[in-house]
Structures are given as C-alpha cells and as structure tokens.
Amino acid sequence: MRYVSPNLRLLFSPPLRPTLSVPLFISKPNPKPFSFSTILASSSSKRPRSFSNLSGRSNSTFKDRKGGGRDMTMEETTGQSKDSSSSFGFNKRRAEGQDKSDRPKKNPQLKERKLNPTNTIAYVQILGTGMDTQDTSPSVLLFFDKQRFIFNAGEAIAGIVGLQRFCTEHKVKLSKIDHIFLSRVCSETAGGLPGLLLTLAGMGEEGYSVKIWGPSDLNFLVGAMKSFIPHATMVHTQSFGQSPISDAAEDVTAPIKASDPIVLVKDEVVKISAILLQPHCLQHSQIRPGEMSVLYICELPELIGKFDPKKAAALGLKAGPKYSELQHGKSVKSDHLDIMVGDLLPRKILVVHPADVMDPPVPGPIVILVDCPTESHLQELLSIECLNGYYTDVSSHLTESTKMVNCVIHLSPASVVSSPNYQKWMKKFGSAQHIMAGHGKKTLEVPILKSSARVTSRLNYLCPQFFPAPGFLSLQHLNYSTSDDISSSEGPTLKICESIPAENLLKFTLRPYSQLGLDRSHIPTPMGQSQVIDELHLEIPEIADAAQHVREFWQELKESRELLPTSNDNGVMIEEPWLTEDTLPGCLEKIRRDDLEIVLLGTGSSQPSKYRNVSSVYINLFSKGSLLLDCGEGTLGQLKRRYGVDGADKAIRNLKCVWISHIHADHHTGLARVLALRRDLLKGVPHEPLLVIGPRQLKRYLDAYQRLEDLDMQFLDCRSTTKASWDTFMRDGASNNDGSSPQSPRHSNAKNESMQEINQTLFAKGSRMQSYLRQPGSSVDHSAAYPFLKNLKKMLDEAGLEALISFPVVHCPQAFGIVLEAAERVNSVGKVIPGWKIVYSGDTRPCPELVDACRGATVLIHEANNTMQATFEDGLVDEAIARNHSTTKEAIEVGNSAGAYRIVLTHFSQRYPKIPVFDETHMHKTCIAFDMMSINIADLPVLPKVLPYLKLLFRNEVAVDESDDILDALV
C-alpha cells in the first residue's frame, strides 16, 4: 500500500463505494467494489446518494429573473431506448428557436457623454501582444477622462484571448468605449468583434453599443455577422472609402482622392482622421475585398498658454472677471487708459488681447497608427502627399503649418518594417517615439493572460502528464534584444530612429503635458515558473507530497498494464465492467501513446473568462492529423499556449476537419481565424480545402464572410453526417458498380430517394427530433453533399477513423453531438482489437439520442454548465432546463447509463472560474476539465484518480461568479 504522508492523511479518507440506481443494460452485479486510492475527506461525512433516473422536472416553469419575459413552460419529452426508458425536462421553445420573444426587448444605444475639453489624463496604451498573439494584430486603447477609443479588436485580445477576458484581468473599463476603429477588415484585426458586441449588447436593461469604423470592406463583415448577431447590435457601423465592388454599400464616406484624409471624429477632445492605403497596382485594377488598409491620425487640440497676471496688471487690468475672459480667448477693455510701457511715454491702451497676457499655446499631441501589411501598400504609403504636413526631419520643407507627431504606433508586420524604405519613412517624423506593435520577438516569452498562465503552471507541477508545460515556458531561455525585432536588409550600418517593441499595457502619456512620453509602470513583469511553484508550496505545503503521489499513479499503471484483464470483446454489454480497477476496455489493450490525445482548449461557456476560454476540443491523432470539435473565439491562441507558436502552426497545417456543434457564438467565432491562418501557412503547397462540418446556419455565415477573404474550406451540413445519411451514402456507393457516374440520372434518382428516406426517419414531421432540426423549407441537399462525404470518408480512412457521426441533441435549432470511432487494429499475434470511441455532447439537455450515441464510449466529453450540490441543486436544475444545458449530475448519469468508460465534464459556467463545485461521491469514472488539459488515451485508467488532488490544489478557492468580474471591467 502506498505511503501517505501525515499532511495528506488529514485531507484524504478511505475510499467509498458509490451506490448506483441507474437502470443499466444487463443486470449483472459487479464482482468487486470499485475503489481508488484517495478521496476527499469532505466526502467521508456524506452518505453516498443514489442516482435517480434520467429525468427533469415535468411541467415546471422558469420565469425570467428580471421580470422582462413571460413564463416559459418546460415541456417533458419521454423517449424509449433499447434497454431502458428515460425522460428529461427541456425548454421546448428554446430548442425550437422560438424563445426570442420570451426575452426582454433590447435596443442598444450609443452612450451620450459630457466631454471634458481640459482632459487631465490622456494616453495611448497597448492592450495585447505576446507569444500567444503572433500573427494577429494587438489592440490599442486611446484613453480620455470621459471617452475610450479602441483600434482593432482582433484575436490578440478579442478573438484569441477575449477582449473582456484581458480587460477583466487588467482592470480596463469597457463600458466607456464609444468607438472601435479597424485598420483592416479581416480575421486578424476583427476576429473578436462578434464576442465583444454580444457582450456589450447583453449588459444592463437596454444593452450597450459602440460605433464601429472601418474601410468599405466592413460591410462584408457586418453582413456575415448578421447571421448570428441581432441586427440592433450592429446598427452603429460606419464604413468609409470607395467600395471594392461596383454596388457600393450604403453609408460609405469616400474622399475626393483615395489618399485624402477622412475626418471621422471631431469634437473638443480629439480629432481622428483616416487615410486609406491600397496596394500600389496598375491603373484600373480592381481592389479586392480585404486589401484596403488604414492609417489613423489622432490629434488633440492645442492647450492654451499659461495666464500671466503680471502682464495683465501692467496693461491696466484689475484682478476679476476679465482675467477669466482672457483665459477663455476673449479680448477685454483695459481698466486704465494711460499705461506706461517700459521707458516710453504713456500711451492709451483700449483693448487687451489674450495674446498680450498668455504664454504661447502648447501644440496638441499627435499620435499616428499605421498598418502597412505588404510592400505593395508601402509604395502607396510613401506617395501620400497629405502626410507631408507631419514630417519634421531636416530634409522636409518645414512651414508654420507643420505639425509635430509625438508617437507613431506601427501595426505593420516585421517583414515590412525591416525594409529600408519603411525605415527611411519612419525617420521623417523626426523625434517622434516609434512603438513597434507588429509581430516582434521580444514578447514571445510573455503570456498575455498572467492569471491563466499561473493556474496552468500550478496544474503542470501537480500533474505534468495531464497538464503539460505551457508553450511560453519553452521560450523563456531565449534572450532577444531590441535590435532583433527590426533588422535591416542593408546591414547594421543603417541606423533607424528611436523605436521600442510594444509590450502589454505599455503607455504613451499625452496629458498632462509635463508627463508626455512613455510610461512602463503598468507592464506586467515576466513570470517564472519557479516563482509560481514557490508561492504554491507556501500556500499548500502538502502539495509536494500530492505531486509525488500523482506521479506514482503512472508507475503503478506501467507495472500493472501487463496484468490487467480486458473487457469482453464479444459485443455483449456488461454492466459497468470498468467500475473495478482490474478491468480495462478492450480498445486500450496495448494502446500506443501516439494513437490519440484529447486536448481541452476551452472549457468555459458563454464568453471567455480569466481562467477558462470558450468551447474547443483538439483531437490529436499525431502523425495521422487532427480534428477540432467546436472552435470558439480564442481557439488559435489556446493552441499557441499549449504547443507554442511553431507547434500551433504545425497543428493548424495538419488539421483534417473542423466540426461545429451549433451556431452559438461561443462555439464557432474562432473559426475564421483558424481557417485564414491555415490558408496562409499552406500557400504555395498542394493541399485540399479544409472540410468544415456544422449546422446549416454556419454555412450562411461562412459564405458571407468569404466575400471578405477566402477561407479555403468546404462545408458539409451536420445532417449529412448522421448515421442515416452515412448508411444511405454507403449503400449507394456499394450499388455503384455498373460503371455509371454518381451524377448520372440513375444515381441522382437514387440519392433523391435516399434523401426522402432520411427525412421520413430522423427529420420527418412528427418524429421526436423534427422540431429541433427542421424549419419549414430547410431541407438539406444530400445529392450536393455526396462529393464532400466522399472526401470525408477518404480523410477518415487516412486518419485511422472508422466513423464520424453527428447526432441531434436538445439545445437550440440545429444542435448536434458527435461520435468519433477509431478503426480496429490487429496486434502482433493477429488478435483484432476494437477501436476507441469518443463522444462529444455539444450543448444539450439529457436526451435519448445522446444516451444511444454514448453506448460503450471510451470517453464521453459532456457539457456541465450547471454543477450540483445538495444545497442549491433545485434552482440549478430549473436554470439548466430553461437554457437547455445539463447539470453535472445529469451528465454523469448519461455516461453511467450508457456504459461510458470515462467521463470528462466541460463547458462550465462563469460562476466556477477555477474548479466547479461537485459531489465527489459520483466521480468514480469522471474528471473535471481545465483549459489545456491533455488526456492521452493510454492514461485513461488514471484519469479519475487525479480529481481529489485537483481539488486539493484549489482548496483555498471559492466558487465565485466571474461574470461579476467581467461586469466590473465593462462598467
């Protein structure tokens, strides 16, 4: 028996045998009680509770808590399965997409502010740059006392990390943001807009809105987002410049000349102008969508000079109201007519002008943000005449109207910045401070979210097998100098002007004028893993013993693997054969570590939080490629945090397929950035477009988005990958042996008949799932899907997969779960070993379709948006039903009733930022997911044993609603 230290012995108690009352498949008692080495002492005082049948609250109601909506009936549906019957409560109106009228009507409006023309504080600040934001554009905040302006909302802090997620951690208020300006319209700069707009629209009674500015390409992005974002949320959008297509969209402000400045904002606080940059190309060439770039000029008004009372008195003025009038720019009459001026004779002074008593005015600070994406854009930049008034180097023709630029923020990539022509252009701004916010090397080792990186490092210390070292740690041994960021092709002899690399929260102060310049006081300090672990040892002294115990699990697994028997392979389902530690599923026999790894990239719900990103699961098949199941905003950044920049690029190149469960934004808004990066990485390399499988609403979004930039993808409706569709496809393929083409009339008729057969079963009117899968006139064209199914079948064969099957679930219209099955393999003695089976639930209430799909699953990845504890179980069941989510207890019941070997719970509410509250007496085959958790299939026997130690790691954490933190950042 393993030695347990005194410290740990106080925390852990003897094992408990869970009591099950779930209806199982074959009534056969377990030969031995289930046990694992440790379970939390807190559970020892609890009597294990029996599971109830899969049921919800029938005929219950859920009323909108704010009183804005009407009662919504929670209808109960009963479905008969092969082996058992079960019922579940769900919100039928939400499942059918008819619940919009139940919610309070909101009309987000732009905020009206009383501006402060004498701003005491004004600055620009970098809001996102680091190793996990490579190949994306950081955001820049222009701050005033009463106003905020954001330049770019790309994946640097919105798509990859979540703008609200970054601002929550760094206490940046979002509610005062009035305008968002895009330097280009693409996934790199605008990937975070959908999540940000939805977050702001959901705040308060009416919601908040911002005005979005961008070149004419913005109209394509707005048109795409309307497929899943309410129109009222996006009414405040303004494009400018000539449309790249003939049918120019409405509200497009076009200058007389393409390079003339366009004034976008002008008030007593700031003037913001835009200058369009387009590729330098032949005359009459058509500018394609996505090629337009913007240079923004932000000019603050000049400050009036200091009033000199001595000069006023000398000009015959008495202290009083006239002093104030002069300071406000008004001329006044002198109180004395005969004034001695120097040694001259007295003369009559009738009027005193402000210039007579005021010091010279202080020019207003000027900031330029430039995004020059290519050498072709650079040629256009060098020829812009209206910038001549801002050049102050000795070679420029200075005039009285020449304006001095204080700071230039470069969003241009390093490949452009390093060119001699660009560096010479930079020098034209004289003494201006240049901040290089493109993709530099210095920030590679700095994670953008310190809190999340800290938790990841702690998890890695406790259990490195399930929580590998984050990608940024592998880069901390590298030392980069500033000169590495911008190197000239002309060699070291070319000295460039004053420039520094951008860092997170770096400021350039604009006012007060006495503090004009850089402010590094808010830059986060690099975080070393040793520092994090030292803090952990002080906080939880027994964690070292716990980490040693966890390491011993793998040694025991290695020693016992040869001795453990496997479950029956004869197809007969035995009641929970792996409830004992002495039995393994047959698919794990002699399993290789390079067969499968499940990486939980995002384990939160609704919107990104400090510790959990939104939904995404990376299925790593190693040399056989990989798949993504859901792709919420920030997925690409999570891949970079897990694998590093180069490793993430490799993962994107090797993607075989992306599968999206439903149209809610937290499951798909990271997709465009992933597809765009794959397109760029494979440019010039022979390859096939990436297959995207999702609900039909997703196709509308992707089709509209591809008017903006090519995503190099093919789309397949989830309904074409159901079991019924696959059966029809395989039957038609087997019958196609007469040499006729699949497009021939004979086979076209066969496909049409197959389509009717499918609709008459799963999707037919009156069937159980018809309401949630079909709307009038929404039939899917299976004949058009056949070529894509053929490509998918080829991909599955290459990846060693036997099946990819979508199945309907109860959440919203067109919501699905997925089954992945590996092909059988043959061991060295010719024995056929069954393939593993992974089931991902998507968002759903417990339902018979999910239970059927989970039968015999090796791993069930199940959402658990609402966790359970006896003290507040009833309220959370009502909440779960109203939103068509599952509770922890219900998710476990689904897995148990279907005989799943392991259950991984994910998609947690923000009220559980680190570890959710759960009743551990039912967790004998279950584990809680964390972001970046990596589960190798060979380690599945150990998975549930780690859970008590994870609870030890977070024992000082309490369950708080992190949405409150996000609200604080917003308001």
Side-chain angles (χ1 to χ4, degrees):
M1 180 177 179
R2 182 188 297 110
Y3 169 74
V4 180
S5 70
N7 286 335
L8 281 179
R9 191 173 286 118
L10 294 174
L11 292 167
F12 295 92
S13 69
L16 294 175
R17 178 180 178 180
T19 304
L20 301 178
S21 62
V22 179
L24 298 171
F25 306 117
I26 295 180
S27 180
K28 180 178 179 180
N30 290 324
K32 297 180 182 180
F34 170 81
S35 66
F36 51 83
S37 60
T38 55
I39 195 165
L40 289 179
S42 61
S43 65
S44 62
S45 60
K46 298 180 181 179
R47 182 182 181 89
R49 293 184 295 134
S50 299
F51 283 171
S52 62
N53 290 338
L54 285 173
S55 60
R57 296 175 179 272
S58 59
N59 301 322
S60 63
T61 61
F62 179 86
K63 200 168 198 174
D64 189 286
R65 295 186 177 185
K66 294 183 179 180
R70 62 194 180 104
D71 289 352
M72 296 186 296
T73 303
M74 303 303 135
E75 302 197 15
E76 183 179 77
T77 295
T78 302
Q80 191 75 21
S81 62
K82 294 180 181 179
D83 304 292
S84 63
S85 61
S86 60
S87 60
F88 62 97
F90 66 100
N91 181 351
K92 182 178 179 182
R93 291 180 59 79
R94 182 174 177 85
E96 294 177 335
Q98 302 297 322
D99 61 332
K100 293 181 181 180
S101 60
D102 300 325
R103 308 168 193 165
K105 296 293 184 182
K106 289 190 175 185
N107 184 25
Q109 297 294 323
L110 294 175
K111 297 171 284 294
E112 295 183 3
R113 305 193 186 281
K114 184 178 180 180
L115 302 181
N116 177 16
T118 59
N119 284 282
T120 56
I121 299 176
Y123 56 81
V124 287
Q125 186 175 34
I126 305 297
L127 288 189
T129 182
M131 66 78 50
D132 39 13
T133 62
Q134 292 295 296
D135 301 315
T136 64
S137 176
S139 293
V140 179
L141 170 69
L142 176 59
F143 176 97
F144 296 98
D145 290 341
K146 302 294 184 179
Q147 281 182 304
R148 313 284 192 271
F149 301 88
I150 289 283
F151 295 86
N152 285 346
E155 293 200 344
I157 58 172
I160 280 189
V161 182
L163 181 59
Q164 63 269 35
R165 192 180 184 195
F166 181 89
C167 293
T168 297
E169 175 162 333
H170 296 292
K171 309 301 181 184
V172 177
K173 299 289 185 181
L174 286 179
S175 64
K176 293 184 179 180
I177 294 176
D178 294 318
H179 301 265
I180 296 177
F181 300 90
L182 302 180
S183 63
R184 280 178 291 132
V185 184
C186 59
S187 60
E188 181 180 339
T189 60
L193 269 182
L196 177 60
L197 292 175
L198 289 170
T199 298
L200 292 173
M203 294 170 48
E205 294 296 329
E206 291 296 329
Y208 290 99
S209 184
V210 296
K211 192 160 189 177
I212 303 170
W213 300 85
S216 54
D217 306 344
L218 177 62
N219 297 288
F220 295 114
L221 178 62
V222 171
M225 291 193 299
K226 284 180 179 178
S227 62
F228 63 94
I229 294 181
H231 174 72
T233 305
M234 297 188 297
V235 295
H236 306 294
T237 57
Q238 177 73 58
S239 62
F240 50 84
Q242 184 61 46
S243 175
I245 57 176
S246 57
D247 54 336
E250 296 180 2
D251 299 326
V252 176
T253 303
I256 299 175
K257 292 174 58 178
S259 59
D260 286 347
I262 307 168
V263 178
L264 307 179
V265 175
K266 186 176 182 180
D267 54 35
E268 58 266 44
V269 172
V270 66
K271 172 186 173 183
I272 299 179
S273 306
I275 299 176
L276 292 170
L277 291 178
Q278 59 189 36
H280 188 78
C281 52
L282 297 177
Q283 193 174 8
H284 306 304
S285 295
Q286 181 116 14
I287 302 299
R288 292 176 298 180
E291 290 186 336
M292 196 74 72
S293 183
V294 184
L295 180 149
Y296 289 103
I297 303 175
C298 307
E299 302 177 70
L300 278 65
E302 67 178 17
L303 294 175
I304 59 176
K306 186 177 180 181
F307 177 76
D308 190 337
K310 293 182 179 179
K311 289 183 179 180
L315 293 175
L317 289 177
K318 298 178 181 179
K322 292 182 179 180
Y323 279 21
S324 176
E325 292 182 41
L326 287 167
Q327 293 180 61
H328 284 86
K330 297 180 180 180
S331 299
V332 299
K333 291 183 178 181
S334 174
D335 295 321
H336 301 283
L337 296 181
D338 297 327
I339 304 297
M340 180 70 70
V341 181
D343 297 330
L344 302 179
L345 295 175
R347 63 172 180 163
K348 293 185 178 181
I349 303 296
L350 299 178
V351 178
V352 179
H353 301 286
D356 298 330
V357 296
M358 305 287 291
D359 291 340
V362 179
I366 298 177
V367 177
I368 291 180
L369 296 94
V370 56
D371 186 351
C372 184
T374 68
E375 290 278 356
S376 182
H377 288 82
L378 176 56
Q379 295 181 49
E380 184 74 12
L381 176 64
L382 298 175
S383 65
I384 294 179
E385 296 179 359
C386 63
L387 286 176
N388 291 337
Y390 298 91
Y391 296 149
T392 57
D393 66 322
V394 292
S395 64
S396 301
H397 301 288
L398 302 181
T399 66
E400 291 184 0
S401 62
T402 299
K403 302 177 180 180
M404 178 177 290
V405 176
N406 301 93
C407 178
V408 182
I409 299 177
H410 300 267
L411 304 175
S412 311
S415 60
V416 175
V417 171
S418 61
S419 70
N421 285 335
Y422 194 96
Q423 293 180 15
K424 291 176 182 177
W425 178 78
M426 290 170 59
K427 296 182 69 174
K428 290 185 176 184
F429 293 100
S431 61
Q433 175 67 64
H434 294 268
I435 300 176
M436 316 312 293
H439 315 312
K441 296 179 181 178
K442 182 176 180 180
T443 55
L444 277 176
E445 65 183 59
V446 183
I448 192 172
L449 285 178
K450 197 171 181 179
S451 298
S452 178
R454 179 174 173 270
V455 169
T456 302
S457 296
R458 286 179 161 220
L459 289 166
N460 170 251
Y461 173 79
L462 176 66
C463 183
Q465 294 84 357
F466 287 141
F467 303 97
F472 70 87
L473 291 178
S474 63
L475 300 167
Q476 290 188 350
H477 67 283
L478 302 176
N479 294 316
Y480 297 108
S481 64
T482 303
S483 60
D484 291 330
D485 290 287
I486 309 170
S487 58
S488 170
S489 60
E490 292 189 1
T493 58
L494 178 61
K495 180 176 175 60
I496 64 173
C497 52
E498 182 70 19
S499 64
I500 62 168
E503 298 179 70
N504 288 327
L505 302 184
L506 172 68
K507 285 184 180 180
F508 187 91
T509 301
L510 304 174
R511 285 185 180 155
Y513 184 77
S514 60
Q515 299 178 18
L516 182 71
L518 292 171
D519 178 3
R520 299 175 177 271
S521 61
H522 295 84
I523 297 176
T525 56
M527 178 182 55
Q529 190 178 29
S530 59
Q531 177 185 354
V532 174
I533 302 310
D534 290 343
E535 294 174 354
L536 178 60
H537 284 156
L538 291 175
E539 180 183 336
I540 308 176
E542 55 271 36
I543 198 66
D545 289 336
Q548 177 60 35
H549 280 233
V550 170
R551 285 192 292 272
E552 291 175 3
F553 288 146
W554 270 264
Q555 183 61 34
E556 293 175 355
L557 178 63
K558 181 179 180 181
E559 295 172 355
S560 62
R561 191 177 292 278
E562 298 294 333
L563 303 176
L564 291 178
T566 56
S567 60
N568 291 353
D569 294 332
N570 55 11
V572 178
M573 181 64 69
I574 299 177
E575 176 187 347
E576 308 268 358
W578 27 77
L579 276 180
T580 72
E581 291 181 338
D582 297 332
T583 305
L584 286 176
C587 64
L588 296 185
E589 181 180 345
K590 303 292 184 181
I591 196 73
R592 294 168 54 96
R593 297 195 67 83
D594 62 355
D595 196 80
L596 168 69
E597 183 181 54
I598 303 171
V599 183
L600 286 303
L601 296 175
T603 59
S605 66
S606 182
Q607 61 191 31
S609 64
K610 275 198 298 187
Y611 302 103
R612 294 185 184 272
N613 205 59
V614 288
S615 297
S616 185
V617 181
Y618 178 65
I619 303 297
N620 186 5
L621 302 174
F622 297 93
S623 63
K624 297 177 182 177
S626 59
L627 296 85
L628 272 176
L629 310 182
D630 278 336
C631 191
E633 62 178 289
T635 293
L636 180 56
Q638 295 292 85
L639 278 171
K640 292 179 179 181
R641 296 183 187 97
R642 170 62 180 86
Y643 293 107
V645 176
D646 293 338
D649 286 349
K650 181 179 179 181
I652 296 298
R653 287 190 193 96
N654 293 335
L655 272 179
K656 299 293 186 183
C657 173
V658 178
W659 181 90
I660 304 298
S661 61
H662 61 288
I663 196 60
H664 287 166
D666 57 332
H667 291 259
H668 75 84
T669 50
L671 179 58
R673 184 65 194 132
V674 168
L675 294 174
L677 178 59
R678 180 183 181 272
R679 173 203 63 206
D680 295 340
L681 291 173
L682 295 177
K683 187 173 296 182
V685 179
H687 67 279
E688 294 291 331
L690 186 65
L691 186 62
V692 175
I693 304 172
R696 68 176 183 275
Q697 305 102 312
L698 181 64
K699 185 178 188 301
R700 290 199 293 269
Y701 165 67
L702 294 174
D703 286 346
Y705 190 92
Q706 289 203 108
R707 298 182 68 194
L708 178 63
E709 60 177 331
D710 176 36
L711 296 178
D712 191 23
M713 49 78 63
Q714 297 175 334
F715 184 83
L716 185 61
D717 195 314
C718 279
R719 292 182 295 175
S720 295
T721 60
T722 61
K723 188 176 186 304
S725 297
W726 276 115
D727 290 344
T728 302
F729 170 78
M730 299 302 292
R731 183 169 63 249
D732 288 351
S735 64
N736 186 19
N737 296 320
D738 56 0
S740 60
S741 167
Q743 283 76 34
S744 66
R746 173 178 176 179
H747 287 281
S748 296
N749 292 335
K751 291 171 186 176
N752 291 333
E753 293 173 2
S754 301
M755 171 63 190
Q756 294 175 3
E757 179 182 342
I758 293 169
N759 281 340
Q760 289 169 0
T761 55
L762 183 63
F763 306 114
K765 182 177 180 180
S767 67
R768 182 169 61 239
M769 300 304 295
Q770 186 268 343
S771 296
Y772 322 119
L773 290 170
R774 295 190 70 197
Q775 298 295 326
S778 65
S779 61
V780 60
D781 185 359
H782 281 264
S783 61
Y786 267 61
F788 301 130
L789 282 172
K790 185 176 180 181
N791 292 341
L792 176 57
K793 184 66 172 67
K794 178 182 176 183
M795 181 275 291
L796 294 175
D797 292 340
E798 294 173 349
L801 298 177
E802 183 69 24
L804 182 157
I805 300 173
S806 302
F807 58 90
V809 294
V810 178
H811 180 62
C812 66
Q814 296 289 312
F816 294 87
I818 186 175
V819 176
L820 291 175
E821 294 186 40
E824 296 177 340
R825 51 195 172 91
V826 180
N827 65 11
S828 57
V829 297
K831 178 183 177 181
V832 176
I833 300 175
W836 45 259
K837 178 179 179 180
I838 306 297
V839 178
Y840 173 52
S841 71
D843 288 3
T844 184
R845 288 291 297 148
C847 59
E849 285 73 15
L850 176 59
V851 175
D852 290 342
C854 292
R855 296 193 187 282
T858 314
V859 179
L860 166 61
I861 305 170
H862 200 300
E863 70 120 310
N865 190 260
N866 296 78
T867 64
M868 307 296 288
Q869 199 176 37
T871 54
F872 53 96
E873 178 174 320
D874 292 345
L876 290 186
V877 169
D878 286 343
E879 182 179 329
I881 293 175
R883 300 176 60 209
N884 280 343
H885 283 292
S886 299
T887 66
T888 300
K889 181 168 177 282
E890 289 170 334
I892 295 173
E893 288 176 345
V894 167
N896 283 338
S897 64
Y901 174 57
R902 291 291 180 253
I903 305 169
V904 178
L905 301 180
T906 185
H907 201 57
F908 296 109
S909 166
Q910 291 171 1
R911 64 168 61 89
Y912 312 108
K914 292 183 182 178
I915 192 167
V917 179
F918 56 87
D919 187 345
E920 65 273 5
T921 58
H922 300 312
M923 308 295 280
H924 57 279
K925 62 163 68 174
T926 306
C927 196
I928 299 298
F930 293 83
D931 280 17
M932 254 68 71
M933 186 177 190
S934 303
I935 305 172
N936 192 285
I937 191 169
D939 298 331
L940 287 178
V942 179
L943 186 62
K945 299 181 181 181
V946 176
L947 182 59
Y949 296 91
L950 295 176
K951 193 167 185 179
L952 167 66
L953 182 66
F954 296 105
R955 70 177 185 184
N956 296 329
E957 310 291 343
V958 295
V960 296
D961 194 340
E962 195 170 347
S963 59
D964 293 339
D965 293 336
I966 294 176
L967 186 61
D968 290 340
L970 291 167
V971 299

